[in-house]
Amino acid sequence: MSQAMDLPATMTAIAITEPGGPMVLKPERRAVPRPGPGEILIRVRAAGVNRPDVLQRQGAYPPPPGASDLPGLEAAGEVAAVGEGVRRWRVGDRVTALTPGGGYAEFCLVHETNALPIPHGFTFTEAAAVPETFFTVWHNVFQRGALQSGESFLVHGGTSGIGTTAIQLAKAFGATVFATAGSAEKCEACTRLGADRAINYRDEDYVAAVKEATGGKGVDVILDMVGGDYIGRNYDSAAVDGRIVQIALLGGPKASADFSKLMIKRLTHTGSTLRPRTVEFKAGVAAELERKVWPLLSARKVAPVMDMIFPLREAWRAHERMQEGEHIGKIVLDVG
Ligand SMILES: NC(=O)c1ccc[n+]([C@@H]2O[C@H](COP(=O)([O-])OP(=O)(O)OC[C@H]3O[C@@H](n4cnc5c(N)ncnc54)[C@H](OP(=O)(O)O)[C@@H]3O)[C@@H](O)[C@H]2O)c1
């Protein structure tokens, strides 16, 4: 370690004591980790809560090899120590970072290239609500899905952390935006965020709605977290040369679909998961985000939608909130 503030030996962290419901999340004393070469130690002030944390807690999404067993894929705070060879950051710098795990703690390690400066005027809780969804949306919608200005875009789960980010970024980069959500209140939130049309999938068939709104053409890019019977319906909703990007399968991993649509419309159906990707890959996404999206955040042209904030020790309540499914936007832990 080449530079550090006075570090305590131990910290409070939220552990997954066994696979199960929200109550298995319990505060524990853990050793404060020390940064290795290229790493920084963040004194965490706030940590974002994401659906993958819920899956990890349930035992369905184990951390990749080498990652902390603690939950938490994003954290904001001050740099508390820097490892050998760290070039960009100094002790005391305010950063927000995509972490491979371990965000639900007072201190968290991250590679220096996976941290970014806190956008101008952002609180720690707002900054902690940014990395996971912005990295995911940037990679899947703009890199894999190649969404262009003037094209049309459909996101399912429009009020999720991911959905609220996708609506704003697609709009900011010049797309016509459609979103699906499960209630009138959620649909209103989507349109407030910039969606041109929000579709309550409980009342309306989204395939017919997007077909009608696009004059029968269909949408150019779809970001889907549902899967199941949405797979065939996404093929129906897509335009010729459309791109469909799968980031989750909340409705089930198996489907029967009419694959002739893939050929006839020349569709691309792809997908990815962010967490197991290399530090270098994430550094590349971070660099593009800093260049293209950080100025929009600092100007408040886009911003995370804040749902509720819970104290770190009450992480179980944050997970209950997420599982109830009433939230709109991001749930965040205040680490103090
Ligand atoms: N591949 C990746 O790299 C990556 C990275 C981050 C997150 N993800 C995934 O992206 C999804 C969104 O993450 P998030 O943190 O933004 O989650 P979130 O805020 O909890 O959102 C989940 C959304 O999915 C909708 N939904 C539709 N069908 C559902 C079902 N069967 N069960 C539960 N929810 C359903 C819900 O809205 P309605 O009430 O409108 O249905 C809700 O808005 C999660 O599945 C997560 O695992 C993937």
Side-chain angles (χ1 to χ4, degrees), residues 91-149:
V91 168
D93 284 349
R94 289 156 46 93
V95 293
T96 185
L98 186 73
T99 74
Y104 291 17
E106 288 175 315
F107 291 89
C108 174
L109 283 181
V110 61
H111 194 272
E112 70 156 331
T113 56
N114 293 180
L116 287 161
I118 289 187
H120 178 73
F122 271 46
T123 62
F124 283 124
T125 45
E126 287 174 323
V130 169
E132 177 70 8
T133 67
F134 279 73
F135 277 69
T136 300
V137 169
W138 189 258
H139 175 56
N140 290 289
V141 176
F142 295 93
Q143 294 180 333
R144 299 193 91 75
L147 181 67
Q148 307 293 317
S149 176

Side-chain angles (χ1 to χ4, degrees), residues 49-52 55 132-133 136 140 157 159-163 180-182 186 201-202 225-226 247-248 250-251 272-274 322 325 327 329:
V49 174
N50 294 281
R51 179 72 52 167
L55 301 177
E132 177 70 8
T133 67
T136 300
N140 290 289
T159 55
S160 62
I162 295 281
T180 64
K186 286 185 170 185
Y201 63 81
R202 294 185 202 280
M225 60 184 72
V226 180
I247 56 162
L250 288 165
S272 72
T273 56
L274 180 63
M322 181 160 271
H327 64 289

Side-chain angles (χ1 to χ4, degrees), residues 220-265:
D220 296 305
V221 175
I222 302 177
L223 182 66
D224 183 31
M225 60 184 72
V226 180
D229 76 337
Y230 275 34
I231 291 181
R233 295 168 75 198
N234 287 340
Y235 293 173
D236 289 337
S237 308
V240 169
D241 286 320
R243 290 84 72 196
I244 299 161
V245 191
Q246 208 68 51
I247 56 162
L249 297 157
L250 288 165
K254 303 228 166 114
S256 109
D258 178 354
F259 290 101
S260 69
K261 305 262 167 57
L262 276 178
M263 297 182 290
I264 294 163
K265 295 194 194 174

